[in-house]
Amino acid sequence: MNTRHLPRHHFLDWVRIIAFFLLILYHVGMYYVTWGWHVKSPHAGTALEPFMMLSSPWRLPLLFLVSGVASSIMLAKLRPLAFLRKRSWRLLIPLLFGMLVIVPPQSYLEVVEKLGYAGSYADFMRLYVRGYHGFCQDGCLILPTWNHLWFVAYLWAYTAVLALVVLALGPRFDGLAAVLGRVLEGWKIIVVPAAVLALARILMLNRFPVTHALVDDWYNHATYLPVFLLGALMARVPDFWLRVAALRWTCLALALAGWALLMLWIALDNAGGIDGTRWEMLAKPMRADYALLAWSAILAACGFAQRHLDRDGPARRYLTEAVLPVYILHQSLIVVLAHASKPLHLAPGLEAVLLVVLVTVLSFAGFEIVRRVPLLRPLFGLGPRIRTAAPAAQDIIAPHPVAGRGV
């Protein structure tokens, strides 16, 4: 295969776009569930949590897989160090800008709501930039922080790893892809990656809880980095996505069955606890179920998209460019609007709908401003504006969140 001319998969752009819109819904949902988050609704409860778990296990690894594919396509055209310089410019500048400008309102409102902080925003920012660690409740708030922008930091780190791997292997990278492509045939496309993810979850989750702090987040790295590298390798296998599409219904059935088992497990735990009971012996199999659920859902999403969404057009090009700026903006908008809406005492259903609509509209309004102002474009991960009849293809990068530090 001529890796200088790897095909662009438009359906993966659509996968990323759809996953992002799920992300807005997910983060609005975080305001209403019992899981830890920056601000919480007075109506927070467990009702939404099963629906949140429909996407929580797989959305993040899906986005890393898609990012790995896109990175591999870029590396087919650029030397590894040139690729790394380009990715550093497009990822690290928005990360630093986001940490200093976009993210701080989230932490400010968090300490206002949880700790009753009475200082002004200017007072808080003086503490924020100094790295103040005195905001403590069940652990201390880490300042400064990247919160939801942790994905950008991890994506940069993984692209650096990929660039070094390709630099070290040279043409052997394509050979490795070909070998792995021959292994991942039929049922092995499902079972082999799921087994790797299950092994990581069984062996590492208890020892290395999720932190999103990059330097100590070993369970997440054992999950996301292999998926990212798998995407990079499978980008070099010509018929891989056709194989995935052929398995889409099987994978969807496995994902739904895995989700149902997970819900039964959570219900059993909530009913009286599992530790110390006869059900405890099923803890490791349930971790394997979680991994199989996640990987099957990823394959199902890619398979259905390959069959039904592999098309280009103005909407795809516009939304592909919009994703990173909208992602950078959306969570701060959710936190600020959710906090501001509390005095209105709206019914939670109405409030949630308004939050989704307002966050979406304001995020895209922000993107419309950013894309038109040359000085703002690099701060939100956009390259120079190219005035040509055919819009330049945007590379695929993406987000997600989970409760906890650096959500």
Side-chain angles (χ1 to χ4, degrees):
M1 176 177 193
N2 185 354
T3 57
R4 291 287 170 185
H5 297 90
L6 292 178
R8 182 183 179 88
H9 301 293
H10 294 124
F11 73 91
L12 291 179
D13 287 333
W14 284 112
V15 165
R16 181 175 69 115
I17 291 163
I18 293 169
F20 168 75
F21 282 108
L22 288 176
L23 180 62
I24 290 182
L25 296 175
Y26 186 90
H27 274 156
V28 170
M30 287 297 293
Y31 181 56
Y32 295 100
V33 295
T34 60
W35 309 334
W37 206 54
H38 310 290
V39 295
K40 301 302 296 183
S41 167
H43 304 288
T46 60
L48 282 178
E49 290 173 6
F51 302 99
M52 299 279 279
M53 291 302 294
L54 276 171
S55 68
S56 182
W58 55 266
R59 188 181 54 254
L60 253 181
L62 169 65
L63 292 172
F64 278 114
L65 179 80
V66 172
S67 298
V69 174
S71 297
S72 188
I73 292 171
M74 292 180 67
L75 270 167
K77 301 174 183 177
L78 297 172
R79 293 183 182 275
L81 295 182
F83 162 78
L84 184 56
R85 285 195 298 271
K86 182 175 182 179
R87 301 313 291 147
S88 297
W89 177 266
R90 298 288 288 275
L91 295 175
L92 294 183
I93 290 177
L95 177 62
L96 293 174
F97 172 75
M99 290 176 66
L100 291 174
V101 177
I102 305 297
V103 167
Q106 299 177 34
S107 299
Y108 171 67
L109 293 177
E110 183 172 356
V111 298
V112 167
E113 291 203 3
K114 293 181 179 179
L115 301 176
Y117 179 69
S120 67
Y121 186 69
D123 294 333
F124 173 80
M125 283 303 298
R126 282 191 284 270
L127 297 173
Y128 182 90
V129 297
R130 282 167 34 202
Y132 179 70
H133 288 173
F135 294 122
C136 300
Q137 183 189 67
D138 299 325
C140 296
L141 191 65
I142 305 299
L143 300 177
T145 184
W146 45 46
N147 279 8
H148 69 295
L149 300 183
W150 70 266
F151 182 91
V152 178
Y154 281 46
L155 184 56
W156 178 84
Y158 296 167
T159 55
V161 170
L162 177 61
L164 293 175
V165 168
V166 173
L167 185 65
L169 293 181
R172 288 174 294 174
F173 184 80
D174 292 323
L176 179 60
V179 171
L180 189 58
R182 288 192 292 270
V183 171
L184 296 181
E185 293 269 9
W187 59 268
K188 294 179 183 177
I189 295 177
I190 302 172
V191 173
V192 173
V196 173
L197 296 176
L199 191 64
R201 191 166 182 84
I202 290 168
L203 296 179
M204 300 186 70
L205 183 59
N206 284 351
R207 294 183 61 195
F208 303 103
V210 172
T211 67
H212 293 149
L214 187 64
V215 295
D216 61 357
D217 203 11
W218 297 112
Y219 164 69
N220 267 344
H221 292 318
T223 299
Y224 299 144
L225 180 57
V227 170
F228 177 85
L229 294 175
L230 178 62
L233 289 164
M234 291 304 97
R236 311 295 176 99
V237 178
D239 65 342
F240 179 74
W241 301 110
L242 293 175
R243 303 179 204 173
V244 170
L247 295 168
R248 65 193 185 281
W249 287 106
T250 300
C251 291
L252 179 61
L254 286 171
L256 291 174
W259 172 79
L261 282 174
L262 183 61
M263 292 304 98
L264 289 174
W265 180 254
I266 292 172
L268 182 64
D269 191 32
N270 291 338
I274 291 169
D275 292 344
T277 71
R278 60 180 179 176
W279 300 109
E280 191 173 12
M281 71 177 71
L282 296 177
K284 290 181 180 178
M286 286 308 302
R287 291 192 174 182
D289 171 76
Y290 187 99
L292 180 60
L293 151 63
W295 183 244
S296 297
I298 289 167
L299 293 177
C302 293
F304 279 102
Q306 197 280 333
R307 286 297 297 267
H308 302 292
L309 294 176
D310 198 14
R311 63 177 71 97
D312 196 9
R316 186 207 62 82
R317 292 191 290 269
Y318 175 83
L319 292 172
T320 298
E321 185 181 35
V323 164
L324 184 57
V326 173
Y327 165 63
I328 290 170
L329 292 168
H330 86 281
Q331 183 163 295
S332 290
L333 287 171
I334 293 172
V335 171
V336 170
L337 291 171
H339 178 80
S341 69
K342 284 186 175 179
L344 301 178
H345 302 292
L346 298 173
L350 174 61
E351 182 184 56
V353 171
L354 289 175
L355 283 175
V356 170
V357 172
L358 285 173
V359 168
T360 302
V361 170
L362 292 175
S363 295
F364 275 92
F367 166 63
E368 284 296 328
I369 294 170
V370 166
R371 69 194 292 248
R372 288 169 166 78
V373 180
L375 290 177
L376 292 178
R377 289 180 66 89
L379 300 179
F380 288 84
L382 301 181
R385 196 169 186 181
I386 301 174
R387 301 181 182 276
T388 61
Q394 301 295 316
D395 32 276
I396 303 174
I397 60 176
H400 167 108
V402 184
R405 183 175 65 179
V407 170

